[in-house]
Amino acid sequence: MTTPASTDEQAPAEDLAPGTTPYYANMHKWIKRAVLVCLVALVIEGAFTLPFMAVYYGYPTLSLTQICSELLKIRYSDDALECKYPYPPLGPPEGAEGKDTAQDQWGIQPTPKYHRLGFRELVKIHDERLARQAAGQQGG
């Protein structure tokens, strides 16, 4: 003969999240904790990535807009490209203007044709570009 389950046995199941059985409750608790730890770590990593990259590329000497412009010029091999700040709300996607001038090899695995930038190398490239432009204006 079977007896109906008592209310004490049903109470723990009511405290669980929807879709969680008592058998897997402990596993779900630890998965939640692990996911929260990973999300917090990603937010912290993202918060520190931009400042360190900006310094690597030459932030105190170049502004963030100048760094963005120099990266566009190198990536798309076009000295006329500039980052727009503030970006127009209905403007084209960023980088869409320079895609025609990029010298990359396109395919299943694209291969970039620009060189890897070193520590604060954008400052040197920016100064050389300004010197060429000044020499072109004086010579012209």
Side-chain angles (χ1 to χ4, degrees), residues 68-82:
C68 175
S69 295
E70 291 299 323
L71 289 172
L72 278 178
K73 290 173 185 178
I74 290 170
R75 181 177 177 198
Y76 294 116
S77 305
D78 186 359
D79 287 347
L81 290 177
E82 294 287 334

Side-chain angles (χ1 to χ4, degrees), residues 63-69 72 81-89 94 97:
S63 70
L64 292 177
T65 306
Q66 288 174 325
I67 290 172
C68 175
S69 295
L72 278 178
L81 290 177
E82 294 287 334
C83 282
K84 298 175 184 87
Y85 178 80
Y87 201 78
E94 190 172 3
E97 298 172 280

Side-chain angles (χ1 to χ4, degrees), residues 68-134:
C68 175
S69 295
E70 291 299 323
L71 289 172
L72 278 178
K73 290 173 185 178
I74 290 170
R75 181 177 177 198
Y76 294 116
S77 305
D78 186 359
D79 287 347
L81 290 177
E82 294 287 334
C83 282
K84 298 175 184 87
Y85 178 80
Y87 201 78
L90 299 175
E94 190 172 3
E97 298 172 280
K99 266 180 34 179
D100 301 342
T101 58
Q103 298 174 357
D104 301 341
Q105 283 183 346
W106 297 102
I108 294 173
Q109 183 68 40
T111 306
K113 290 296 182 181
Y114 51 86
H115 72 283
R116 186 175 298 228
L117 293 171
F119 179 71
R120 299 184 60 80
E121 192 174 348
L122 280 184
V123 175
K124 182 182 77 164
I125 292 170
H126 179 73
D127 291 343
E128 289 171 357
R129 180 174 290 112
L130 290 179
R132 281 195 313 268
Q133 290 173 351

